[in-house]
Amino acid sequence: MNVGNISNLLKRVSDKTGRLMLLALLSAVPVQEILAGASCVVAKRLGNSLAIEWVASPQESAESALRKAEGKLIDQGYRTKGQDVHAQAATELSNAYMVIIKTEYTTATGRTRTSYGCGYSARSENQAGQAALYDLQNYSWGWKPEYGYEVVESFRY
């Protein structure tokens, strides 16, 4: 849960007593649970991935992780005419396995394409890897499992 979600909840509770009860309940949630998350951001040109950055930490919200990862790519010069940075995956899990994969393959039109996938799981590295494959397929429609991929990063935060 992030600060925006808390604000929306407070707006929905109409009376003062209800708001006080909601705040009392939320105060029992550790701050770490409110501000925790990860995000992957990819620099792309004409659908081809050029670079990836990620931020993952129990001390980051998904939104702040997204902004920091975007900032890293922008600072590296990836926001120019014809290319930009795009949020690809994010989570508000306070502790998770995170897997980032990369593939390079030739498209049906004969172009070499690079694509990334990011996945998260509170349960296992394997589930995070499956989520990364799903993410890769969502952003790279021409990719097929027989093209293969490599694991760029696999860790737990």
Side-chain angles (χ1 to χ4, degrees):
M1 179 171 297
N2 62 33
V3 176
N5 290 342
I6 293 169
S7 177
N8 287 335
L9 280 173
L10 287 172
K11 288 176 185 173
R12 291 182 182 175
V13 177
S14 60
D15 66 342
K16 185 177 182 178
T17 304
R19 287 184 185 159
L20 289 173
M21 289 175 64
L22 179 60
L23 285 172
L25 285 171
L26 290 172
S27 68
V29 177
V31 172
Q32 186 176 13
E33 293 295 319
I34 295 172
L35 299 174
S39 182
C40 287
V41 178
V42 177
K44 293 185 178 194
R45 171 177 284 208
L46 300 174
N48 186 47
S49 298
L50 306 171
I52 187 168
E53 285 289 345
W54 60 91
V55 172
S57 170
Q59 289 79 34
E60 295 286 345
S61 69
E63 182 67 26
S64 67
L66 171 74
R67 297 295 163 233
K68 286 181 179 181
E70 281 180 337
K72 287 179 182 182
L73 288 172
I74 291 167
D75 289 347
Q76 293 172 42
Y78 284 107
R79 181 170 277 166
T80 62
K81 185 176 181 177
Q83 68 186 33
D84 205 355
V85 298
H86 302 276
Q88 185 150 327
T91 185
E92 291 187 2
L93 292 170
S94 59
N95 293 292
Y97 294 90
M98 181 174 177
V99 174
I100 301 166
I101 60 174
K102 176 183 179 181
T103 186
E104 291 184 22
Y105 64 97
T106 303
T107 66
T109 60
R111 293 186 176 165
T112 301
R113 171 148 303 178
T114 300
S115 295
Y116 293 94
C118 295
Y120 313 96
S121 171
R123 292 188 178 160
S124 73
E125 183 178 17
N126 187 46
Q127 282 186 348
Q130 290 299 314
L133 279 170
Y134 181 74
D135 184 61
L136 172 67
Q137 289 175 313
N138 276 336
Y139 286 93
S140 188
W141 302 330
W143 181 81
K144 298 175 185 174
E146 57 265 24
Y147 295 156
Y149 63 91
E150 67 178 285
V151 175
V152 175
E153 286 286 336
S154 180
F155 60 94
R156 186 172 188 179
Y157 68 90

